[in-house]
Amino acid sequence: TLFRSWDQGRCRWNAAGYCTRVSYITQTTCCNGSGGGGSPTPTPCTPTYAPPSISLGGYSPPYPLVLGQDPDRLGIDVTIAIQGGSVNNGCRSGRAGLTGLSLDGVSLSPASISWIQTYLNRRYPGAQVLDSYPLHPPVTVSSLPSTSATLWFHFDPLDPGTYNVTVTATQTDNLTATAKLAVPAHLLDATLDQ
């Protein structure tokens, strides 16, 4: 067995979310003789990956209103950003490919439901939760497989409060991740003073 030094490389993430390769030298017993002509043959490194990451890419408009108060009836457009997990075992840097994305549902948060049924009902008698949850709006997903992807969807909020958006991502090594992301819907409220 021969001992060799190899630059396996590492990923240093900057504030903008990009990877810069940095040198990482390690001595290993990666060679088992000669690979014809006396050249050492490196043993391949099989990467393992962290689970995929899921984040809220954004929503529009910036201050969405409940549909009943929105004169333009815009609803909410939501963007979710997903990345395959990064290499986590010292092999050359990279990311796993994403193979599946799903929107598991959109639900009004328990705290928002409680707020409507208590505070809002006292302020506006008869106020109640109007929609049935979870919602399952149609989604658009960027093409897969890919190391990064985007999921888009639109929904029309009938109730004010915080909506929990649950998304699941699966990557090529069958690791999955599920994230619950928050999207608001606002209620215009006026207070009359004498």
Side-chain angles (χ1 to χ4, degrees), residues 12-192:
R12 178 177 291 147
W13 295 95
N14 62 27
Y18 294 101
C19 171
T20 303
R21 186 183 189 280
V22 293
S23 186
Y24 179 77
I25 306 295
T26 184
Q27 192 173 60
T28 182
T29 57
C30 66
C31 307
N32 56 8
S34 54
S39 301
T41 305
T43 301
C45 183
T46 302
T48 60
Y49 300 95
S53 62
I54 304 168
S55 60
L56 181 63
Y59 53 85
S60 177
Y63 298 100
L65 295 172
V66 291
L67 203 63
Q69 290 187 323
D70 183 358
D72 300 317
R73 299 184 70 81
L74 295 176
I76 307 175
D77 294 313
V78 180
T79 303
I80 308 294
I82 304 99
Q83 285 194 315
S86 57
V87 171
N88 63 5
N89 69 334
C91 290
R92 186 172 291 275
S93 61
R95 290 190 173 275
L98 296 165
T99 56
L101 302 175
S102 65
L103 174 63
D104 302 330
V106 178
S107 294
L108 193 61
S109 72
S112 296
I113 290 171
S114 177
W115 176 77
I116 291 169
Q117 292 173 340
T118 56
Y119 171 80
L120 203 61
N121 186 269
R122 284 193 304 269
R123 190 175 173 103
Y124 302 103
Q128 60 183 328
V129 176
L130 299 176
D131 217 337
S132 297
Y133 300 100
L135 305 175
H136 294 282
V139 299
T140 302
V141 176
S142 59
S143 61
L144 295 176
S146 175
T147 57
S148 63
T150 305
L151 181 147
W152 300 272
F153 68 93
H154 173 92
F155 76 104
D156 296 320
L158 298 183
D159 297 300
T162 300
Y163 284 82
N164 292 328
V165 176
T166 306
V167 176
T168 298
T170 305
Q171 60 192 30
T172 50
D173 59 0
N174 292 322
L175 282 179
T176 64
T178 299
K180 189 180 290 185
L181 309 166
V183 174
H186 300 278
L187 176 70
L188 290 176
D189 191 10
T191 301
L192 298 176

